[in-house]
Amino acid sequence: MQRHHRELRQSYCPPELIGRVTATAMFVNFCTIPVGALLGGAMNTLLGLRPTMWLVCLGLCATTGILLSAPLRGLRDLPVSQRVPAA
């Protein structure tokens, strides 16, 4: 799956911005890990282990439903790039 994202970035982003786009994507992805850990710990402290686990399971199911019903699911083509070819 990661190979697909790399090819998508390389085909859509200007070559001089690929590093910045990749770094930004990694920053956004990895910054959610400590946020999730803090939220999970806070929920565990307030509610207990079992209710926290049930809420996480319900959240995962809701996320799956949202992603499957989203209109983006049917989109297969990228927007046309407006890049000017190098002279």
Side-chain angles (χ1 to χ4, degrees):
M1 189 66 161
Q2 188 175 9
R3 182 176 176 209
H4 171 71
H5 293 296
R6 192 175 330 130
E7 292 171 0
L8 174 70
R9 273 188 227 124
Q10 288 175 348
S11 65
Y12 192 66
C13 295
E16 63 273 8
L17 294 179
I18 289 177
R20 290 180 185 178
V21 170
T22 302
T24 302
M26 289 179 68
F27 177 77
V28 169
N29 285 332
F30 287 124
C31 282
T32 59
I33 294 171
V35 172
L38 287 172
L39 286 174
M43 286 174 59
N44 186 27
T45 301
L46 293 173
L47 304 173
L49 182 61
R50 255 180 226 264
T52 299
M53 294 301 287
W54 277 110
L55 286 173
V56 169
C57 288
L58 289 173
L60 286 173
C61 291
T63 303
T64 303
I66 290 169
L67 290 174
L68 288 176
S69 65
L72 291 175
R73 185 172 178 242
L75 296 177
R76 299 283 186 233
D77 296 327
L78 289 173
V80 177
S81 178
Q82 298 296 327
R83 270 194 274 166
V84 178

